[in-house]
Amino acid sequence: MKYNPFKVILWLLFSTWVLLNSVRLFIYGFVISFIIVIIDRAFFGTRKRSDKQFVNLFCTFTVIAAVCYTFSPYFRSLEFKISHPKWNKLEVLSIHKEETRKVSTPLNFLEMIYTPVAIHYVDEKGADQIKNEKIKHYAIVGVEPFFSKQIIEKELEYIHERSLNKLIDKKAVNLYQHPLKDKMKMFKGNDAFALRHSIGFQIALVLAYLLAITLSIYTIFNYRKLKKHMRSASTKERKTACIILFILLYSYAVIAITIIHYLKFK
């Protein structure tokens, strides 16, 4: 059996991304997809399309769960609370911040700002405890002269201070204690989405840049071919052309939003 190298690479990247978050995401994608396929097969669909339908649904729902798990503090906390009902949530009394620090590289790719914080909480025995952690945010990826390093740092400081103050004021830290072991799990923030706390933001932005460049070049040199596929009677050819154009437009949208946000601090 022959395997498409491109598909193998995509599956490896997909699996690595999910496993870096939580193996439970595979289970959620499998269960939801299995239920949908069974319902469709029993009442609406045919047996012939079940296998392909399952794979498509599995990838879609697992990717959605992985995106939420990577960028949503609220989703991570909620998912853990539901999947670990026996763990005890601890009361957070206060959060105190220390001196903010920066980490930078020449190309700004790993530019990060972080602040050590001391989290005062009450353990299961009612005693006051302190847990030391770091609250961090990553910068917009931009190479000079297209992006000014000073403006990137200014924007990053603003994002960090705003998120840090919100976290401290609302004591938005969720601490969970294992019922039997001396093991604790912590989730920082209650925001629906907080893109800048994870290096996944920088990786996603770099991918958007690469996709925009490569697909733009591909579209320019294959314009007639794509136009022919869009008008083709073949569903597969139309689908391929639509996917390419959708990814291209999506990458343009991500870059446009990033540039507009960057210009706000100019």
Side-chain angles (χ1 to χ4, degrees), residues 4 12 28 43 62 74 76 86-87 89 113 121 136-137 145 163 174 190 200 208 216 225 256 266:
N4 187 325
L12 287 174
Y28 302 147
F43 300 101
T62 307
Y74 175 78
R76 282 199 305 275
K86 294 184 179 180
W87 285 56
K89 187 174 182 179
I113 189 169
Y121 67 96
K136 57 187 178 181
H137 291 85
S163 300
N174 298 303
N190 292 323
S216 295
K225 182 179 178 181
K266 202 164 184 179

Side-chain angles (χ1 to χ4, degrees), residues 88-93 120-130 175 177 182 184:
N88 301 311
K89 187 174 182 179
L90 304 177
E91 180 187 0
V92 175
L93 300 175
H120 296 251
Y121 67 96
V122 180
D123 64 16
E124 291 181 301
K125 298 178 180 178
D128 291 354
Q129 302 289 350
I130 296 177
L175 291 173
Q177 178 68 47
D182 185 18
M184 184 183 294

Side-chain angles (χ1 to χ4, degrees), residues 101-105 108 110-114 139 149 156:
R101 302 165 191 175
K102 296 179 182 177
V103 177
S104 182
T105 60
N108 301 335
L110 288 175
E111 184 156 355
M112 178 183 72
I113 189 169
Y114 70 93
K149 187 176 178 65
L156 179 58

Side-chain angles (χ1 to χ4, degrees), residues 22-263:
S22 173
V23 71
R24 295 190 299 276
L25 302 181
F26 278 128
I27 300 174
Y28 302 147
F30 179 87
V31 171
I32 295 172
S33 305
F34 183 77
I35 292 172
I36 293 175
V37 169
I38 290 298
I39 294 173
D40 180 62
R41 183 172 167 179
F43 300 101
F44 308 104
T46 62
R47 181 169 183 167
K48 185 177 180 181
R49 73 179 187 182
S50 294
D51 292 342
K52 188 174 181 180
Q53 182 189 46
F54 174 79
V55 173
N56 291 336
L57 288 170
F58 172 73
C59 291
T60 301
F61 284 110
T62 307
V63 165
I64 291 173
V67 169
C68 292
Y69 200 94
T70 303
F71 296 116
S72 175
Y74 175 78
F75 179 85
R76 282 199 305 275
S77 180
L78 179 64
E79 185 278 332
F80 185 85
K81 184 178 180 180
I82 294 172
S83 60
H84 298 75
K86 294 184 179 180
W87 285 56
N88 301 311
K89 187 174 182 179
L90 304 177
E91 180 187 0
V92 175
L93 300 175
S94 61
I95 303 173
H96 301 284
K97 64 179 179 179
E98 299 177 12
E99 183 182 356
T100 299
R101 302 165 191 175
K102 296 179 182 177
V103 177
S104 182
T105 60
L107 294 178
N108 301 335
F109 178 66
L110 288 175
E111 184 156 355
M112 178 183 72
I113 189 169
Y114 70 93
T115 302
V117 296
I119 302 168
H120 296 251
Y121 67 96
V122 180
D123 64 16
E124 291 181 301
K125 298 178 180 178
D128 291 354
Q129 302 289 350
I130 296 177
K131 184 174 179 62
N132 296 310
E133 276 293 333
K134 293 178 181 177
I135 307 300
K136 57 187 178 181
H137 291 85
Y138 289 87
I140 292 173
V141 180
V143 181
E144 294 182 309
F146 303 104
F147 290 84
S148 168
K149 187 176 178 65
Q150 288 73 24
I151 296 176
I152 287 177
E153 290 180 350
K154 181 180 178 182
E155 188 270 348
L156 179 58
E157 289 173 2
Y158 171 80
I159 292 294
H160 181 70
E161 284 300 320
R162 185 184 66 177
S163 300
L164 182 63
N165 291 335
K166 182 178 178 181
L167 183 107
I168 292 173
D169 293 340
K170 295 187 176 182
K171 294 185 286 188
V173 172
N174 298 303
L175 291 173
Y176 295 92
Q177 178 68 47
H178 194 284
L180 301 175
K181 301 178 183 178
D182 185 18
K183 188 177 180 181
M184 184 183 294
K185 187 74 174 178
M186 183 178 72
F187 298 93
K188 293 168 280 189
N190 292 323
D191 294 325
F193 276 92
L195 303 180
R196 308 293 289 278
H197 74 281
S198 170
I199 196 173
F201 163 78
Q202 290 194 320
I203 295 173
L205 200 53
V206 170
L207 286 176
Y209 292 155
L210 294 176
L211 285 171
I213 295 171
T214 54
L215 290 180
S216 295
I217 295 172
Y218 176 85
T219 303
I220 291 170
F221 285 98
N222 295 274
Y223 173 75
R224 292 182 179 178
K225 182 179 178 181
L226 288 173
K227 189 176 180 180
K228 182 180 177 181
H229 283 181
M230 289 293 290
R231 297 177 178 178
S232 173
S234 171
T235 304
K236 184 177 181 181
E237 289 183 350
R238 290 201 309 272
K239 183 179 178 181
T240 301
C242 287
I243 290 174
I244 292 172
L245 293 176
F246 173 79
I247 295 174
L248 178 61
L249 292 175
Y250 183 78
S251 63
Y252 282 165
V254 171
I255 294 172
I257 293 170
T258 302
I259 292 174
I260 291 171
H261 181 70
Y262 166 83
L263 291 175

